[in-house]
Amino acid sequence: MKSLDDRRDAADTNDTNHSRSQGRFLIAFFLLTGLACILWAVGHYGNVGMSANLLLTLRWAALIAVCGYAWARRSLTAWIIAGMLIGAEIGYDWPGVASHLQILSKIFLRLIKTIVAPLIFSTLVVGIAGHSNLRQVGRMGIKAMVYFELVTTIALFIGLAAINISRAGVGVKQPPEAAPAHIATQHQKASDIILHAFPENIAKSVVENQVLQVVVFSIIFAIALALLADSRRRPMLQFCESLSEVMFKFTNIVMLFAPIGVCGAMAFTIANGGFGVLVNLLELLATLYAALFIFLGAVLLPVVLLARLPLRKFINAIAEPVSIAFATASSEAALPRAMESMEAFGVPRQIVAFVLPTGYSFNLDGSTLYLALSSIFVAQAAGIHMSLGQQLIMMLTLMLTSKGLAGVPRAMLVVLSGTVDSFHLPMWPVLILLGVDQLMDMARTATNVLGNCLATAVVARWEGELGKEEPSPTVMDAVAQ
């Protein structure tokens, strides 16, 4: 008994030491960053000669402190944040080197994309066929769709109100040589949207990362499996259970590369656009971020409280997938970790597997808000007045055309281009948006992931299943990284 107490005391002492180390590294980071900012301001605004090498040394010393904090915290999220900051610094200090680092983010995104289809297929099949409760699947589907449409409609009108108040597009001058660069457009009728949900070839759907089509195939496959006799169903069910566990382990391995991939993505972005990308479209960028914060505070936070979700625990659960989504501007990159985090939060796997991937097509809160804002920005920049009725018709069009698209970077830019073209608006304001699209894409993608994680928890609470099923040991090991 004494040896057990000794081990507990040693563990407590170790935790205390790590907490102290975290605090010291964090204080060092803020002090060094603050000092670097003050010296830069004095040199820039006070016309005082300031050594560039001194500022460079202070910035990198601050980044070393961030790495020390991440090491002491032993958290993947902390390392991802450190990767973002280091990437931004590399992009600023050595743009020539940073412009070649996009390969790191591309490797990370490719590895993530290999996970999505088998993970969705295996977890959905186990969730539906393993419980054989087909009524629950139908009930979840109805509840999820009601929630999705309600929340995305609110997001749409918040974006519409924000751009009409800020009028960020008014006064934008057309570039003298705004060449009609071609951006692929996408025209979708209602029948096209419905047809797009159904796969013609599951291998093609997997290759093209058509998440909704994989979900539809998996649901039908799972229902067919559930209708078989137990002797025929059991072997396939065991295979899918093993596959889902393997894919979660696969995710853990890939996520170890996340800080490096994030570092490469940020370095490339800053090297090509620089911090000056904020200048020309700062008002639009501020409008988007303000609208997203209003959406978070006025819509998603009340939903958390109404659903009686533990707020701090929920924030801890979504911190990592939201950070990944923000850094990579890809919802797809955050999907595997989001599924693990929500299962660890207490949402049963069958609900996570059904609601979260479906939300990637029908619950794009951040992207919907962005589309409302940017489409009216295009009209304002072109000097074209749109009546409230015309704006509402455009919003309805955007709601339909944004459905069924995979959560990949720049997908919404394609939707925006198609909508602008169909309403006979000029394309050159869309080309201007390209300058800050990465920064806008990061915010809207993070909001998408946050909204879908919340939707999963809300449906679980609605079903009375939240916290009733113990997460698998594999998932708990994954989120403990």
Side-chain angles (χ1 to χ4, degrees):
M1 189 68 183
K2 185 177 179 180
S3 60
L4 181 60
D5 290 338
D6 290 341
R7 286 198 298 270
R8 286 176 178 170
D9 291 340
D12 291 340
T13 302
N14 194 35
D15 290 340
T16 302
N17 290 335
H18 275 290
S19 297
R20 288 174 179 171
S21 299
Q22 291 174 34
R24 289 169 185 159
F25 282 121
L26 208 54
I27 291 171
F29 167 72
F30 284 119
L31 287 175
L32 291 166
T33 303
L35 181 58
C37 291
I38 291 170
L39 292 177
W40 175 85
V42 169
H44 186 75
Y45 295 107
N47 294 322
V48 177
M50 197 62 62
S51 171
N53 288 332
L54 174 61
L55 294 175
L56 179 68
T57 302
L58 286 173
R59 292 197 302 268
W60 278 101
L63 291 174
I64 291 172
V66 167
C67 291
Y69 170 77
W71 173 80
R73 189 169 177 80
R74 296 181 178 179
S75 164
L76 186 60
T77 304
W79 278 112
I80 289 172
I81 294 172
M84 290 173 62
L85 295 175
I86 291 171
E89 183 65 28
I90 292 173
Y92 179 72
D93 292 336
W94 304 294
V97 175
S99 61
H100 299 292
L101 295 183
Q102 191 184 26
I103 188 173
L104 298 176
S105 62
K106 286 184 175 180
I107 291 171
F108 175 64
L109 290 175
R110 284 192 175 201
L111 289 172
I112 286 292
K113 287 179 180 180
T114 64
I115 299 170
V116 174
L119 183 62
I120 290 174
F121 171 76
S122 58
T123 52
L124 266 178
V125 170
V126 172
I128 296 172
H131 290 74
S132 301
N133 190 348
L134 301 184
R135 286 186 178 181
Q136 185 189 32
V137 175
R139 193 169 63 244
M140 278 195 304
I142 294 172
K143 290 177 178 178
M145 291 305 297
V146 169
Y147 177 86
F148 292 163
E149 292 308 314
L150 179 63
V151 175
T152 52
T153 301
I154 295 173
L156 199 70
F157 282 102
I158 288 177
L160 186 62
I163 191 63
N164 277 291
I165 291 171
S166 74
R167 298 180 63 80
V170 176
V172 175
K173 294 182 179 179
Q174 181 175 354
E177 296 183 7
H182 178 71
I183 297 179
T185 58
Q186 179 167 327
H187 302 277
Q188 291 193 90
K189 297 180 293 185
S191 57
D192 295 329
I193 296 166
I194 295 171
L195 188 62
H196 185 74
F198 296 91
E200 58 179 335
N201 184 317
I202 187 58
K204 180 183 176 184
S205 301
V206 171
V207 169
E208 296 179 352
N209 291 302
Q210 298 292 346
V211 175
L212 185 59
Q213 293 181 9
V214 174
V215 169
V216 169
F217 174 83
S218 302
I219 291 172
I220 297 173
F221 186 95
I223 291 172
L225 186 62
L227 296 175
L228 293 178
D230 186 68
S231 59
R232 299 292 180 89
R233 182 175 68 242
R234 184 54 50 189
M236 179 58 72
L237 201 56
Q238 289 177 339
F239 167 76
C240 289
E241 287 174 346
S242 297
L243 179 61
S244 66
E245 293 294 321
V246 169
M247 293 315 299
F248 279 127
K249 285 292 186 184
F250 190 101
T251 302
N252 297 346
I253 296 170
V254 172
M255 289 309 301
L256 295 176
F257 189 72
I260 299 174
V262 166
C263 177
M266 289 301 296
F268 179 81
T269 301
I270 298 301
N272 284 271
F275 293 107
V277 296
L278 293 174
V279 176
N280 294 333
L281 295 171
L282 182 61
E283 190 175 354
L284 174 64
L285 202 64
T287 302
L288 174 68
Y289 276 75
L292 288 173
F293 276 115
I294 290 171
F295 177 74
L296 294 178
V299 180
L300 297 190
L301 180 58
V303 169
V304 171
L305 299 177
L306 287 172
R308 304 188 312 279
L309 302 177
L311 182 59
R312 182 172 295 181
K313 183 180 178 183
F314 179 73
I315 291 173
N316 290 335
I318 64 170
E320 193 173 310
V322 169
S323 299
I324 294 168
F326 184 83
T328 62
S330 172
S331 302
E332 207 172 53
L335 178 58
R337 181 59 88 192
M339 294 180 74
E340 291 175 337
S341 297
M342 294 318 296
E343 185 176 341
F345 179 71
V347 181
R349 181 172 293 184
Q350 67 269 21
I351 295 179
V352 172
F354 180 82
V355 178
L356 202 56
T358 306
Y360 269 47
S361 293
F362 292 100
N363 190 40
L364 301 173
D365 301 334
S367 295
T368 304
L369 192 152
Y370 160 80
L371 287 172
L373 190 147
S374 56
S375 59
I376 303 303
F377 170 86
V378 170
Q380 291 175 352
I384 298 173
H385 173 72
M386 297 187 71
S387 66
L388 180 60
Q390 290 174 318
Q391 291 185 29
L392 292 177
I393 293 172
M394 182 181 277
M395 296 306 103
L396 179 61
T397 304
L398 290 169
M399 281 189 68
L400 294 174
T401 54
S402 63
K403 305 300 184 187
L405 289 177
V408 296
R410 309 295 179 272
M412 290 302 116
L413 196 63
V414 175
V415 174
L416 175 64
S417 302
T419 304
V420 164
D421 189 46
S422 65
F423 277 81
H424 308 292
L425 296 174
M427 192 64 68
W428 65 263
V430 179
L431 302 179
I432 290 179
L433 288 175
L434 288 171
V436 290
D437 187 65
Q438 172 71 18
L439 294 170
M440 293 192 290
D441 202 9
M442 291 159 70
R444 68 185 182 239
T445 304
T447 306
N448 289 342
V449 172
L450 193 159
N452 280 315
C453 288
L454 177 57
T456 306
V458 168
V459 172
R461 175 69 77 189
W462 212 344
E463 287 287 300
E465 297 288 337
L466 187 64
K468 290 189 175 181
E469 185 176 302
E470 285 294 322
S472 72
T474 304
V475 167
M476 295 308 295
D477 288 343
V479 297
Q481 281 186 341

